[in-house]
Amino acid sequence: MAVKGLGELDQNYDGSKLRIGIIHARWNKKIIDALVDGAVQRLKALGVTDANIVIESVPGSFELPYGSLQFLQRQQAKGEPLDAVIPIGVLIKGSTMHFEYICDSVTKALMRLNFDAKVPIIFGVLTCITEEQAEARAGLIQGKMHNHGEDWGAAAVEMASKQPK
Ligand SMILES: Nc1c(NC[C@H](O)[C@H](O)[C@H](O)CO)[nH]c(=O)[nH]c1=O
Ligand SMILES: CC(=O)[C@@H](O)COP(=O)(O)O
């Protein structure tokens, strides 16, 4: 299987002055928890302080786009603006087309939010046919795949660092 995942970062980033928001859905908790942990560990490895990693949740992945906008606005109102947001969700196909409609609408809405909010919004939603696929992408199956949350943490620091000052 091709080794997938984030290539080498294009430079050394100092996340020590960044404030990163993680907003996660509450469906598929075991997998979500692993992904959030992976993102947090990578953020900290890149210098983001514990105090500057703000974590909130929403009911499900469908709520991630608007929940992310609310999150950005709440933090701005507190005078603690976010430099990037990592929405994290795990969508697993069931027996109806519900999966397809949520995946497509959430993906497009999160992409659009980058341009509407003018803040980097990282795509942290797993769209899996089986639970095993999702577990593998959260690093929960020994020797299978890496924790994709780590990629999302790195992408957040890179994109936030590249924001025009
Ligand atoms: N089936 C999954 C859902 N479904 C719930 C929706 O995301 C949403 O919360 C509900 O329709 C109310 O608006 N959410 C996930 O995150 N993962 C799933 O597999
Ligand atoms: C992603 C979903 O919404 C899905 O898990 C719901 O399952 P079903 O299609 O069987 O209602």
Side-chain angles (χ1 to χ4, degrees), residues 5-101:
L6 191 72
E8 288 302 308
L9 286 171
D10 60 353
Q11 58 183 285
N12 290 322
Y13 291 101
D14 172 16
S16 61
K17 295 186 173 58
L18 297 177
R19 182 180 297 110
I20 307 295
I22 295 174
I23 183 165
H24 65 82
R26 295 192 293 268
W27 275 61
N28 303 303
K29 179 175 174 20
K30 180 185 75 172
I31 303 169
I32 287 285
D33 287 351
L35 292 166
V36 170
D37 183 60
V40 168
Q41 293 313 313
R42 192 64 182 276
L43 288 171
K44 292 165 70 171
L46 290 168
V48 183
T49 63
D50 281 324
N52 281 342
I53 299 174
V54 188
I55 301 176
E56 296 200 0
S57 70
V58 289
S61 294
F62 187 82
E63 283 73 38
L64 286 172
Y66 192 64
S68 296
L69 179 59
Q70 292 174 322
F71 192 15
L72 283 164
Q73 291 171 336
R74 268 199 308 278
Q75 287 297 129
Q76 186 74 35
K78 286 198 291 191
E80 300 171 2
L82 299 174
D83 295 300
V85 176
I86 310 173
I88 295 180
V90 176
L91 285 156
I92 300 174
K93 171 80 177 155
S95 53
T96 71
M97 291 289 289
H98 199 230
F99 169 81
E100 284 81 355
Y101 288 114

